[in-house]
Amino acid sequence: MNQLRTPQQLDSHGQRPNDPLIRGRVFVVGITSPLGHGIASAALARGARVIAVSRSRPIGANVCNFWKSLRLDLGAEGSIADLGLEAGDILICAAPLRVLARAVDGFEFPPGVRITAISSASATTKANSPFPRDAQWAKEMRAAEVAITNAVQG
């Protein structure tokens, strides 16, 4: 079993050792959420070059000591292109899927970019809810999942 490395563990050249599974940069969208923060911390511990993506500076601990923070609102037109994704990069979305769905609409991902969008089982479990608000939310989540899948698969 591999143990996670803390950001303080450096190699003889003063660099964090790289995990062979992480070849490029790791972009974490939704860094201000507990999930996004946890994902970024785990990636850092494995030696990844993490780029935190947020509409605002992360609140709480000064997380920017260990990774670069890029202020970006993925709801803005064309802003996903501003990330400068390249082959080998990983895009992990812990932000609401509807935000990512709007951001990837019409965007052509470079070959070799891996994408993970974290969804919620609620898109399935709330679909038949007697509460209109829950049912509508589930419908929007499912539509976002489909939009992201279509955009990525081209």
Side-chain angles (χ1 to χ4, degrees):
M1 177 178 271
N2 293 337
Q3 289 186 326
L4 293 179
R5 298 177 186 100
T6 63
Q8 290 78 22
Q9 293 175 312
L10 305 176
D11 66 16
S12 61
H13 302 288
Q15 300 294 316
R16 288 190 299 277
N18 287 326
D19 186 314
L21 296 176
I22 304 173
R23 293 181 191 91
R25 301 166 294 174
V26 176
F27 291 80
V28 180
V29 179
I31 191 68
T32 57
S33 72
L35 180 60
H37 188 275
I39 290 168
S41 296
L44 274 173
R46 293 187 73 158
R49 292 174 289 156
V50 175
I51 307 211
V53 181
S54 176
R55 288 176 300 196
S56 60
R57 184 172 175 82
I59 299 170
N62 186 4
V63 295
C64 295
N65 283 342
F66 300 115
W67 59 74
K68 178 182 176 184
S69 183
L70 176 64
R71 186 173 182 198
L72 183 66
D73 182 356
L74 286 183
E77 186 176 325
S79 60
I80 193 135
D82 297 336
L83 292 177
L85 294 168
E86 301 171 353
D89 286 343
I90 300 169
L91 175 66
I92 300 174
C93 182
L97 287 184
R98 65 184 178 278
V99 173
L100 182 61
R102 282 193 308 266
V104 300
D105 185 37
F107 179 74
E108 187 171 327
F109 283 91
V113 172
R114 292 182 283 171
I115 300 151
T116 301
I118 300 166
S119 187
S120 169
S122 297
T124 301
T125 60
K126 292 185 178 186
N128 297 318
S129 172
F131 303 104
R133 188 177 198 182
D134 284 350
Q136 180 60 34
W137 185 86
K139 185 177 178 181
E140 290 172 10
M141 286 292 291
R142 184 61 68 208
E145 290 171 352
V146 169
I148 293 166
T149 301
N150 290 341
V152 172
Q153 292 179 348

